[in-house]
């Protein structure tokens, strides 16, 4: 990638073969799920906004691999990958995308608004920038309860221009909250390239003003993501306060389903897909390590099966009962 | 076994699009997820993926075909090594292509397309548009764009600022072409920082410029509402009349289709409560154009509430060089004797549709389009209610402290003795907007509910 990067040392970077296999499976699950979601959108099963995570899989999977049981994730509307990585059931996510009663929000939330307290997933937010203070609030509760959990908040490089993000940085640093702020820098906010909206495009440098340690890393290489995230999460867990990671990544698809695709060249997209694909990198390493093509095919088949079952479940599921219109407004 | 590949939708409101390109040929093997074709609308492009493995047996719609209906079969796939037997029975491409050009954005709530207010013109409206004026049919999107372009030509202090307004041509394409005509100095793309750029716009207005601030949707104006209320609305008063704020805050407000709770809400009542603001919410292209021009020329802060579902709806707009409508005047969209239906924005479309149904049963409803919510045109409302003695107020927003609540209070203050029945209201339900299609429909006001309420105030069933 063209950006300058600070990478963790290679000693920290290696993943065991089992970890590589795990990473491959998790990333493939997200990719296949998202491909299916895109198709279902075209068929009218999913409606409204639907922001796909294809291309960015290594970010959330790498961070999740570095996290511990009990650590919480908060993100914005490009959230399907985060939910799958957190272990939320593909069926429940797909049913929600379809607006059905067995969805995580009983069909009332949709693609952008899903939550699972059980899986420590705090949304799913439609308003850009919101995950920063909300994630800091979750971290506040962790500190308050002294439960040694770390809150991890993801938001885009476009969202990183929001004032609420800096108010959160300040308070998180002031109160030493256990939170990793993750800027998923995929270079574009809808049709706006980062350099057209951001004076200081090295997003990680924004930690300095708040004395928040920060790193910029290659988010297409899951080894780098996992190593950097481990360092960041350990820092937070040891009570030293927040940490900022700028993770350089790329979305292959349009911003949402309807995207004019005129703000970047097809060549740029193709080049990222062909030369930096996070899944392909792991696949090639595994093959070089002697894992057979058959074994990898089996993983893909098992993932496709999970996705196919999720689609079947979601499309067979009913719409919410009419009485649900008035439930859940107040406790 | 063969499977049809269907024309996909880019958005829930899309009805048709262009099949721009085939990336696979007849006879090619295709894997699930492979891109087989590209489609486009005037707003966006999308790649069509195969959902299953197989062979692309037959292309039904050739590349370059326009107006392909959503869900129309565009190709047939067969299993690898399968036969092409039943393919001759497939419909021809011409049968599948609609030749009428329908709007890309249509209303999801079964509103008749011809329900636009045109039927009956009330005398009070006559001076606005001279008799014999040539009319041009245009969409609300075009009308808004033309209003801004005309005002920008007329006054070099007018500029527009917001997210994706310039290079992207507007998230909903309302600012299409403005960057090309006026350049980047006057058509300004901002970061996603509503609070900041709203404040910057207000500062520029204090200093004498005339900004138009576009919110991608009014949902995001919540981040900037402090500046709208505390800075834009109050400064004239707080400065003893020294510093005014000639600014327009505009963008889509209210429910779109299937975008869930955080992106579907009507803020009309919120802004209409604030002294120091003017609040406008047009229901058709004509009023949108005339009132946006008036808003830009006005020396006060104006909150101009548009509606995404109405952007693609066409109406006749006078081809007058300077078509400016008066702020603060309601419009009688349909005259009637028996009951007054009052609404604004998309609610007027529902009310007119209901009035059409009621007429079949001999009930003549008068439909008042408020157009401006602050200040409200009370004389027109009171005059109508005095005539009919019955009133139903309609709005998409929530009932508590809503526009209809305000209307009912004003009417009972000024026309209590003329009322023959309690005033009723049809509003959005008291819940955040649900995503599921069935619940969303129930959460919004419906034509049936309006008909029901109109009959109730007439004591008919
Ligand atoms: C406060 C606010 N303003 C505008 C929007 C509309 N919007 C949705 S996503 C988006 C772009 C965000 O880009 P980025 O933060 O880089 O995240 P990405 O989509 O690239 O993941 C915009 C402007 C919004 N949801 N919230
Ligand atoms: Mg981005």
């Amino acid at each position: 990638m063209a950006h300058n990067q600070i990478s963790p040392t290679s000693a920290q970077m290696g993943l065991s073969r089992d970890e590589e296999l795990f990473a491959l499976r998790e990333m493939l699950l997200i990719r296949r799920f998202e491909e299916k979601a895109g198709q279902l959108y075209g068929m009218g099963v999913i409606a409204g906004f639907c922001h796909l995570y294809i291309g960015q899989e290594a970010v959330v999977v790498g961070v999740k691999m570095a996290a511990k049981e009990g650590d919480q994730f908060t993100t914005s509307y490009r959230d399907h990958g985060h939910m799958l990585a957190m272990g939320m059931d593909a069926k429940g996510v797909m049913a929600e995308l379809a607006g059905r009663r067995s969805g995580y929000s009983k069909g009332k939330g949709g693609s952008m608004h899903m939550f699972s307290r059980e899986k420590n997933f705090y949304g799913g937010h439609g308003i850009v920038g919101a995950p920063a203070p909300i994630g800091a609030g979750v971290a506040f509760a962790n500190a308050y309860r002294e439960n040694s959990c770390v809150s991890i908040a993801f938001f885009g490089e476009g969202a990183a221009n929001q004032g609420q993000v800096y108010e959160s940085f300040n308070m998180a640093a002031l109160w030493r909250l256990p939170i990793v702020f993750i800027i998923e820098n995929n270079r574009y906010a809808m049709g706006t390239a980062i350099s057209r909206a951001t004076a200081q495009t090295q997003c990680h440098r924004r930690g300095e003003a708040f004395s928040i340690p920060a790193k910029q890393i290659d988010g297409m290489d899951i080894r780098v993501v996992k190593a950097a995230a481990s360092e960041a999460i350990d820092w937070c867990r040891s009570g030293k306060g927040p940490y900022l990671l700028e993770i350089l990544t790329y979305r292959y698809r349009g911003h949402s389903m309807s995207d004019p695709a005129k703000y970047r060249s097809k060549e740029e997209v193709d080049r990222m897909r062909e030369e930096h694909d996070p899944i392909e990198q792991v696949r090639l390493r595994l093959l070089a390590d002697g894992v057979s093509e058959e074994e990898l095919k089996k993983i893909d088949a098992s993932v496709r099966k999970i996705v196919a079952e999720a689609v079947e479940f979601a499309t067979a599921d009913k719409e919410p009962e009419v009485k649900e219109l008035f439930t859940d407004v107040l406790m | 076994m063969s499977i049809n590949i269907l024309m996909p939708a880019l958005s829930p409101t899309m009805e048709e699009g262009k099949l721009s390109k085939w990336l696979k040929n007849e006879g090619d093997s295709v894997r699930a997820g492979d891109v087989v074709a590209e489609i486009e609308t005037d707003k966006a492009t999308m790649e069509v993926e195969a959902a299953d493995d197989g062979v692309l047996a037959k292309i039904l719609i050739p590349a370059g075909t326009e107006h392909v209906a959503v869900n129309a079969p565009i190709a047939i796939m067969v299993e690898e090594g399968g036969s092409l037997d039943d393919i001759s029975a497939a419909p021809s491409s011409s049968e599948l292509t609609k030749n009428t050009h329908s709007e890309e954005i249509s209303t999801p709530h079964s509103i008749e397309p011809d329900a636009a207010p045109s039927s009956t013109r009330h005398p009070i409206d006559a001076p606005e548009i001279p008799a014999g004026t040539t009319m041009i049919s245009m969409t609300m999107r075009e009308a808004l764009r033309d209003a801004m372009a005309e005002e920008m030509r007329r006054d070099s202090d007018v500029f527009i600022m917001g997210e994706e307004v310039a290079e992207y041509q507007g998230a909903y394409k309302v600012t299409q072409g403005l960057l090309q005509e006026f350049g980047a100095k006057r058509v300004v793309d901002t970061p996603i920082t509503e609070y900041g750029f709203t404040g910057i716009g207000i500062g520029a207005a204090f200093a004498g410029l005339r900004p138009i601030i576009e919110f991608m949707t009014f949902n995001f104006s919540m981040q900037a509402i402090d500046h709208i209320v505390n800075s834009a609305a109050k400064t004239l008063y707080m400065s003893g009349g020294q510093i005014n704020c000639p600014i327009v805050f505009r963008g889509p407000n209210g429910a779109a289709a299937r975008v869930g709770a955080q992106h579907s809400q009507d803020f009309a009542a919120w802004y209409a409560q604030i002294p120091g603001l003017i609040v406008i919410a047009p229901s058709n292209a004509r009023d949108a154009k005339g009132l946006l021009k008036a808003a830009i020329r006005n020396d006060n802060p104006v909150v101009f509430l548009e509606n995404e579902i109405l952007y693609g709806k066409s109406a006749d707009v006078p081809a007058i060089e300077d078509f400016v409508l008066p702020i603060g005047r309601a419009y009688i969209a349909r005259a009637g004797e028996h009951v007054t239906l009052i609404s604004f924005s998309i609610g007027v479309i529902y009310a007119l549709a209901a009035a059409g149904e009621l007429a079949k049963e001999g009930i003549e409803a008068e439909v008042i389009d408020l157009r401006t919510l602050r200040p409200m045109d009370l004389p027109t409302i009171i005059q109508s209610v005095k005539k009919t003695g019955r009133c139903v107020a309609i709005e998409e927003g929530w009932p508590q402290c809503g526009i209809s609540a305000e209307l009912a209070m004003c009417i009972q203050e000024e026309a209590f003795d003329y009322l023959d029945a309690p005033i009723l209201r049809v509003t959005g339900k008291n819940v955040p907007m649900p995503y599921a299609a069935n619940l969303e429909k129930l959460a919004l006001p419906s034509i049936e509910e309006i008909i029901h309420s109109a009959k109730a105030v007439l004591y008919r069933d």
Side-chain angles (χ1 to χ4, degrees):
Chain A
M1 295 176 83
H3 314 259
N4 74 325
Q5 296 148 24
I6 306 159
S7 304
T9 59
S10 49
Q12 296 168 286
M13 266 186 38
L15 294 187
S16 70
R17 180 194 281 206
D18 279 353
E19 285 176 317
E20 293 267 34
L21 283 167
F22 176 83
L24 179 73
R25 189 192 162 279
E26 291 291 294
M27 290 195 288
L28 268 179
L29 175 63
I30 296 173
R31 179 143 319 167
R32 299 290 172 249
F33 184 94
E34 295 290 65
E35 285 167 354
K36 214 45 175 187
Q39 289 160 11
L40 291 182
Y41 193 97
M43 290 154 71
V45 176
I46 298 170
F49 292 122
C50 182
H51 310 85
L52 301 183
Y53 198 63
I54 297 178
Q56 302 185 206
E57 297 90 344
V59 176
V60 80
V61 174
V63 174
K64 173 64 183 150
M65 286 172 75
K68 289 219 170 81
E69 188 65 36
D71 292 347
Q72 307 98 340
F73 277 21
T74 307
T75 188
S76 36
Y77 43 84
R78 199 178 299 287
D79 55 357
H80 313 161
H82 300 70
M83 293 188 280
L84 295 173
M86 286 305 271
M88 288 168 66
D89 184 10
K91 287 183 181 148
V93 178
M94 197 62 97
E96 188 62 38
L97 293 183
R100 307 300 163 93
R101 59 175 67 172
S102 308
Y104 269 99
S105 302
K106 303 182 193 162
K108 300 200 280 191
S111 162
M112 299 186 287
H113 316 113
M114 269 184 255
F115 306 80
S116 169
R117 194 184 283 286
E118 186 203 340
K119 298 287 181 191
N120 294 305
F121 181 69
Y122 283 84
H125 297 275
I127 304 300
V128 148
I134 292 170
V138 172
F140 187 95
N142 290 340
Y144 194 90
R145 298 200 172 105
E146 300 177 26
N147 64 7
S148 80
C149 292
V150 176
S151 164
I152 298 160
F154 300 80
F155 47 92
E157 88 296 335
N161 287 322
Q162 281 260 321
Q164 57 180 321
V165 171
Y166 300 98
E167 296 181 23
S168 312
F169 280 12
N170 182 49
M171 286 181 271
L174 185 68
W175 300 330
R176 293 192 173 226
L177 302 181
I179 177 164
V180 185
F181 293 106
I182 295 186
I183 300 177
E184 293 197 54
N185 180 356
N186 61 10
R187 304 188 195 178
Y188 299 94
M190 289 183 70
T192 302
I194 179 166
S195 58
R196 293 209 302 115
T198 304
Q200 171 53 271
T201 56
Q202 300 295 310
C203 297
H204 63 289
R205 292 196 52 194
R206 297 176 189 199
E208 276 167 37
F210 303 90
S211 305
I212 299 178
K215 261 188 189 166
Q216 180 188 60
I217 60 160
D218 176 5
M220 304 307 267
D221 185 340
I222 190 147
R223 297 169 304 173
V224 176
V225 176
K226 196 207 152 199
S230 299
E231 216 174 287
I233 292 171
D234 288 350
W235 170 276
C236 296
R237 210 183 305 283
S238 66
K240 297 198 185 98
Y243 200 103
L244 170 63
L245 281 180
E246 177 189 3
I247 305 191
L248 303 174
T249 182
Y250 200 76
R251 77 168 147 71
Y252 296 174
R253 300 298 183 93
H255 168 72
S256 178
M257 290 324 239
S258 127
D259 182 293
K262 283 180 186 136
Y263 51 87
R264 59 182 185 185
S265 67
K266 205 165 164 39
E267 292 70 47
E268 177 185 304
V269 182
D270 289 345
R271 189 158 29 79
M272 287 306 294
R273 281 177 125 138
E274 276 151 32
E275 294 169 18
H276 297 279
D277 188 69
I279 297 179
E280 193 56 18
Q281 291 185 37
V282 177
R283 225 180 64 81
L284 293 177
R285 279 200 302 273
L286 281 167
L287 286 172
D289 195 30
V291 179
S292 70
E293 189 77 62
E294 279 67 59
E295 188 166 346
L296 298 183
K297 276 204 175 127
K298 255 191 232 152
I299 294 176
D300 195 30
S302 72
V303 160
R304 279 181 194 277
K305 185 156 169 281
I306 293 171
V307 173
E309 283 167 6
V311 173
E312 220 167 278
F313 176 81
T315 47
D317 193 20
K318 291 203 186 93
E319 287 189 308
E321 277 186 80
V322 165
K323 71 171 194 321
E324 287 292 346
L325 180 59
F326 294 101
T327 61
D328 305 321
V329 178
L330 290 175
M331 294 287 282
Chain B
M1 205 190 71
S2 70
I3 306 155
N4 284 336
I5 300 181
L6 305 179
M7 180 73 173
L10 288 171
S11 71
T13 50
M14 168 180 162
E15 288 173 358
E16 56 173 42
K18 176 179 175 184
L19 202 161
S20 33
K21 194 153 100 190
W22 280 103
L23 299 163
K24 298 277 176 191
N25 297 315
E26 288 185 359
D28 285 357
S29 305
V30 173
R31 298 260 295 140
D34 282 357
V35 178
V36 294
E38 272 175 24
I39 59 165
E40 68 186 63
T41 65
D42 62 345
K43 271 176 71 179
T45 54
M46 183 184 177
E47 294 178 333
V48 182
E49 293 173 357
D52 298 280
D53 296 349
V55 173
L56 187 67
K58 188 164 172 63
I59 288 175
L60 301 170
I61 307 276
T65 309
E66 311 238 19
H67 312 308
V68 182
V70 164
N71 276 334
I74 56 174
I76 301 176
M77 297 239 311
V78 296
E79 281 171 11
E80 195 82 49
S83 90
L84 307 180
D85 280 355
D86 40 74
I87 284 170
S88 53
S92 77
S93 60
S94 63
E95 287 166 43
L96 301 167
T97 313
K98 281 203 286 178
N99 44 19
T100 53
H101 179 86
S102 71
E103 254 105 54
E104 165 218 332
I105 293 183
S106 69
T107 60
H109 317 302
S110 72
I111 297 166
E112 295 305 313
D114 57 0
S118 60
S119 41
T120 331
R121 293 204 194 287
H122 189 266
I124 69 148
D125 216 67
E128 292 179 2
I129 303 166
T133 303
T134 316
M135 295 288 187
I136 302 170
S137 172
M138 64 172 75
T139 62
M140 187 183 280
R141 175 182 284 123
E142 292 163 339
L144 292 165
R145 195 261 326 273
D146 287 1
M148 288 189 283
E150 286 174 23
E151 293 308 300
M152 288 174 79
R153 278 173 215 136
R154 186 177 164 271
D155 182 348
S156 61
D157 284 342
V158 178
F159 68 98
I160 174 147
M161 187 156 100
E163 293 159 26
E164 309 286 0
V165 297
E167 294 200 5
Y168 200 87
Q169 307 283 301
Y172 296 97
K173 295 290 170 278
V174 176
T175 52
Q176 188 129 40
L178 295 185
L179 173 68
Q180 284 65 26
E181 179 174 355
F182 299 102
K185 181 183 164 206
R186 298 180 68 196
V187 186
V188 185
D189 273 333
T190 64
I192 313 167
T193 50
E194 286 81 2
Y195 191 33
F197 70 71
T198 299
I200 287 174
I202 291 168
F206 286 169
L209 296 183
R210 305 186 83 84
I212 303 168
I213 300 293
E214 174 173 307
F215 292 118
M216 191 176 282
T217 74
F218 260 89
N219 302 288
F220 315 135
S221 78
M222 290 298 95
Q223 303 216 336
I225 196 168
D226 166 57
H227 269 312
I228 300 173
V229 174
N230 273 325
S231 308
K234 295 178 182 169
T235 300
L236 182 67
Y237 190 82
M238 296 188 302
S239 68
Q242 290 178 70
I243 301 197
N244 70 319
C245 188
I247 191 168
V248 177
F249 304 104
R250 52 153 291 274
N253 169 64
R258 304 292 309 281
V259 292
Q262 292 184 326
H263 284 71
S264 320
Q265 49 206 330
D266 177 4
F267 292 107
W270 293 45
Y271 288 111
Q273 224 236 340
I274 308 298
L277 294 181
I278 289 171
V279 182
I280 296 173
S283 71
N284 60 72
R286 176 201 61 209
D287 292 351
K289 178 158 187 205
L291 286 168
L292 183 55
K293 283 169 68 82
I296 295 168
R297 290 183 196 189
N298 195 281
D299 286 326
N300 295 293
V302 179
V303 172
F304 196 91
L305 304 169
E306 299 158 10
N307 183 291
E308 187 196 331
I309 290 165
L310 298 180
Y311 276 152
K313 295 275 156 212
S314 293
D316 283 346
V317 178
I320 304 174
E321 185 164 312
D322 233 351
F323 174 58
V324 180
L325 284 170
I327 290 172
R329 292 270 293 277
Y331 175 75
I332 307 243
R334 177 181 178 121
E337 302 294 314
H338 300 134
V339 54
T340 302
L341 307 179
I342 309 177
S343 194
F344 57 95
S345 187
I346 197 165
V348 174
I349 312 299
Y350 302 142
L352 284 167
E357 291 303 311
L358 289 164
K360 293 179 193 159
E361 300 181 45
I363 299 170
E364 288 304 329
E366 179 145 297
V367 178
I368 298 184
D369 182 348
L370 290 172
R371 305 199 293 191
T372 303
L373 302 175
R374 185 182 186 98
M376 227 181 236
D377 183 0
L378 278 185
T380 299
I381 296 162
I382 299 302
Q383 197 186 331
S384 174
V385 172
K386 282 182 176 174
K387 176 175 71 177
T388 63
R390 298 156 205 276
C391 179
V392 178
I394 300 121
E395 70 186 303
E396 205 183 76
W398 293 296
Q400 185 164 341
C401 306
I403 299 289
S404 31
E406 174 64 15
L407 282 168
M409 192 65 198
C410 291
I411 293 167
Q412 79 85 28
E413 281 171 347
E414 303 212 7
F416 183 75
D417 291 339
Y418 293 84
L419 286 173
D420 293 322
I423 298 162
L424 290 185
R425 62 182 161 184
V426 177
T427 69
K429 308 305 174 288
N430 244 324
V431 296
M433 185 65 73
Y435 167 69
N438 63 332
L439 299 188
E440 183 186 61
K441 199 156 173 258
L442 291 170
L444 289 164
S446 71
I447 294 162
E448 295 70 38
E449 287 168 327
I450 301 170
I451 294 171
H452 184 263
S453 297
K455 288 185 181 169
V457 297
L458 283 154
Y459 301 108
R460 305 223 327 209
D461 39 41

